[in-house]
Amino acid sequence: MTTYSRRATRTLLFALSAAVVASTLTAAPAAAGAAGGGAPGGVRALAWKPCAQANGPADQECARLPVPLDYRDPDGRQLTLAVSRLRSDRPQARRGTLLVIAGGPGGSGVQRLTLKGAALRKEMGGAYDIVSFDPRGVGGSTTASCGLDEGDRHMVTLRPWPGEDGGITSSLARARRVADACDRNGGAVLRSFTTANEVRDIDRFRRALGEDRLSAWGSSYGTYVGAVYAQKYPQHTDRWVLDSSGDPDPSRVARGWLANMSAGAEDRFPDFAAWAADPARDDEGLRPARRPEDVRPLVLALAAQLDREPRASQTPGTPLTGNRLRQALQNALYSDKAFPQVARLIKQARDQGAEVVLTPDIAKALSDQDAAVTMGVICNDVRWPAPTASSLERAVAADRARYPLTAGMPVNVTPCAFWKREPVEKPTRITGRGPSNILMVQSLRDPATPYAGALRMREALGDRARLVTVGHGGHGLYLGDGNACGDREVTRFLTTGHRPARDTYCAD
């Protein structure tokens, strides 16, 4: 899977995005419990073992962390989290521990540490041991299953794309079917997949590490996890970075994130249009139109044509439909690096003699475990309203008309509307209470967590935070698709504690 599709599929359900990449890395097993004594707070220290992964740091270590299935019964049934670390390569410069919080729900922190660890370690200059973990349901941690059919585990079915004509009949049936299956097969483990439990698990990890305070870098959904941790455990936060944040409104967590993607796609698409119409694309054979303003109608017309007449692809039984093209475009908007791939797909779809090649994130279904955690967290976190068919039809039709790039998907029905169990607790309200030690970094044109939603997070945090706005498009900035100015501000904050005195802007 290409770099961009890894990010697009694991960042933010903030769109019911697919949980983890197909090649999720599993932490090397290690006994829970430690030689060398216990950690503070009654949590046993971790037994670290080497677990170097392909293309990752040679000295990556892994361990297993037991956590309660239900924190109301801390001595009852235990689950296991896969945790990983890179120790400071300059112990004399070490000042603490930096936690990497992956996106999702469903992102693998162990894998993210493998992919980003070397670059992060270089930026930090030995200031931290760098750690991460696979949340409940992910990778090497305890997982659950909904027992879903393969057809219900594709991106174009996990994300609630309406029918080709905008109809919602199949969406309603699928949402009910998935909710029933998750209730029937997921059990208590699936019901424990919540943001609140991930936050508790982080604090248990902190204690197992023997740290009084953690610094953190959370991305995408990881920013919400990080914000909730900072609300619940402010005394245990050191330097806190939130990279690509969503609206933390407790009445609409997840539901609001998904709905906001309509505007996010509209904000971001002009970047792709300008790139696609650039004469430089002529040499690559990837220039679909001569003017940026012509790219949008071309893409919309092509998607409508594929709605009527899908094209066979190199993946048997998986044609290129209008919704698969829309999903491919949505994935590509996460990063400029993905623009050539979707431009190539557009070219193939327009050329009746060309073979259509779908990337794995579009062609293949998620594993049942990945689908379960993607659904589980968002449906367990907050109660979603159960819509009537007529109200849903009106909402989808209006959104399709206003935001044709996403064709009504962000406001369509999800399994959460028919979830069988009420949330165990209310979502956390993010406030400005606590130390002023948070740095937000945000793209001005983010397709998954639009700028308007990030401003709501900034408003909620008040004087606890400063915001660095990066004047370009994409999702997930630091050490990825940010710019030198944005990266410099984050690195300086984490390594020196210096933070802008006020919100600031980094030009593209």
Side-chain angles (χ1 to χ4, degrees):
M1 195 177 286
T2 62
T3 299
Y4 89 85
S5 60
R6 283 193 179 106
R7 290 178 54 231
T9 55
R10 73 177 171 227
T11 47
L12 283 189
L13 133 90
F14 280 165
L16 294 178
S17 57
V20 255
V21 299
S23 57
T24 299
L25 298 173
T26 302
V43 179
R44 300 186 71 183
L46 296 159
W48 295 102
K49 292 186 178 181
C51 66
Q53 308 284 357
N55 302 315
D59 57 345
Q60 187 169 355
E61 297 177 293
C62 293
R64 312 289 286 178
L65 173 69
V67 297
L69 170 69
D70 185 343
Y71 276 89
R72 296 170 298 183
D73 182 17
D75 297 321
R77 181 181 174 186
Q78 302 290 297
L79 308 182
T80 304
L81 302 187
V83 300
S84 189
R85 78 173 174 185
L86 291 173
R87 302 191 72 170
S88 168
D89 53 358
R90 294 176 55 198
Q92 71 280 8
R94 182 186 181 277
R95 65 171 305 275
T97 294
L98 175 65
L99 173 69
V100 177
I101 310 175
S108 166
V110 175
Q111 184 182 62
R112 187 157 178 80
L113 190 58
T114 298
L115 296 173
K116 293 290 189 180
L120 189 55
R121 172 185 269 174
K122 181 180 178 181
E123 291 292 313
M124 295 301 101
Y128 297 98
D129 291 345
I130 306 169
V131 302
S132 195
F133 66 105
D134 285 352
R136 302 174 184 225
V138 177
S141 297
T142 302
T143 60
S145 170
C146 286
L148 302 182
D149 293 338
E150 180 180 350
D152 290 336
R153 292 187 273 110
H154 279 263
M155 283 288 281
V156 292
T157 50
L158 274 176
R159 287 188 179 181
W161 291 99
E164 293 78 4
D165 59 354
I168 61 168
T169 301
S170 60
S171 300
L172 283 164
R174 182 180 299 111
R176 291 182 185 276
R177 183 167 65 244
V178 169
D180 288 345
C182 288
D183 184 63
R184 187 168 58 249
N185 301 314
V189 174
L190 179 64
R191 293 194 292 275
S192 80
F193 295 168
T194 65
T195 299
N197 277 337
E198 182 169 341
V199 164
R200 295 182 183 104
D201 291 346
I202 288 174
D203 201 60
R204 193 173 183 88
F205 189 20
R206 176 192 63 78
R207 288 186 285 151
L209 291 165
E211 296 285 357
D212 181 59
R213 295 190 300 168
L214 293 173
S215 293
W217 168 35
S219 302
S220 197
Y221 166 70
T223 65
Y224 179 63
V225 175
V228 174
Y229 185 91
Q231 187 72 33
K232 292 290 190 181
Y233 302 99
Q235 73 277 22
H236 296 306
T237 61
D238 187 7
R239 298 171 184 170
W240 221 246
V241 174
L242 305 183
D243 179 351
S244 303
S245 300
D247 183 349
D249 180 352
S251 67
R252 301 183 74 238
V253 290
R255 183 166 58 95
W257 300 335
L258 182 60
N260 288 347
M261 291 192 71
S262 297
E266 295 290 340
D267 291 345
R268 174 67 163 142
F269 186 82
D271 293 336
F272 172 71
W275 177 92
D278 191 306
R281 305 289 87 77
D282 282 334
D283 294 339
E284 306 160 12
L286 298 178
R287 189 182 184 193
R290 298 291 172 180
R291 302 182 305 167
E293 59 266 33
D294 294 333
V295 176
R296 177 188 173 93
L298 182 152
V299 170
L300 293 175
L302 180 59
Q305 179 183 336
L306 291 167
D307 284 338
R308 299 186 299 270
E309 301 173 0
R311 287 282 308 278
S313 78
Q314 95 291 4
T315 305
T318 308
L320 176 60
T321 62
N323 281 342
R324 281 200 170 88
L325 178 64
R326 296 179 185 103
Q327 183 62 66
L329 174 64
Q330 186 68 36
N331 288 3
L333 294 179
Y334 279 62
S335 169
D336 291 7
K337 297 171 186 175
F339 288 175
Q341 195 134 357
V342 75
R344 197 168 294 115
L345 184 61
I346 290 169
K347 179 183 178 182
Q348 293 166 0
R350 297 178 70 202
D351 182 355
Q352 292 298 319
E355 180 183 36
V356 173
V357 180
L358 303 179
T359 54
D361 54 315
I362 299 300
K364 293 184 178 180
L366 273 69
S367 72
D368 193 44
Q369 289 76 18
D370 289 350
V373 69
T374 300
M375 292 292 100
V377 173
I378 62 169
C379 298
N380 291 331
D381 263 7
V382 65
R383 182 176 181 177
W384 291 50
T388 64
S390 59
S391 67
L392 186 62
E393 286 171 348
R394 289 193 298 271
V396 168
D399 211 59
R400 283 170 68 87
R402 186 177 182 186
Y403 303 111
L405 290 171
T406 47
M409 179 271 291
V411 300
N412 197 11
V413 66
T414 74
C416 302
F418 304 108
W419 213 242
K420 305 300 181 183
R421 311 278 176 148
E422 292 287 322
V424 173
E425 54 198 308
K426 293 181 179 180
T428 298
R429 180 174 294 280
I430 305 302
T431 75
R433 292 192 299 272
S436 184
N437 61 353
I438 298 172
L439 181 69
M440 296 176 60
V441 59
Q442 186 76 26
S443 165
L444 197 58
R445 299 183 299 281
D446 188 320
T449 52
Y451 192 66
L455 291 179
R456 295 290 300 277
M457 177 72 85
R458 173 69 185 88
E459 180 183 15
L461 289 168
D463 194 52
R464 293 200 69 183
R466 300 291 184 270
L467 172 63
V468 175
T469 298
V470 175
H472 77 185
H475 180 69
L477 299 183
Y478 185 55
L479 303 184
D481 287 326
N483 64 3
C485 170
D487 284 357
R488 188 165 55 247
E489 291 290 353
V490 173
T491 295
R492 182 165 61 167
F493 173 58
L494 288 174
T495 56
T496 72
H498 177 84
R499 196 180 60 165
R502 59 185 61 85
D503 293 353
T504 190
Y505 180 81
C506 286
D508 194 358

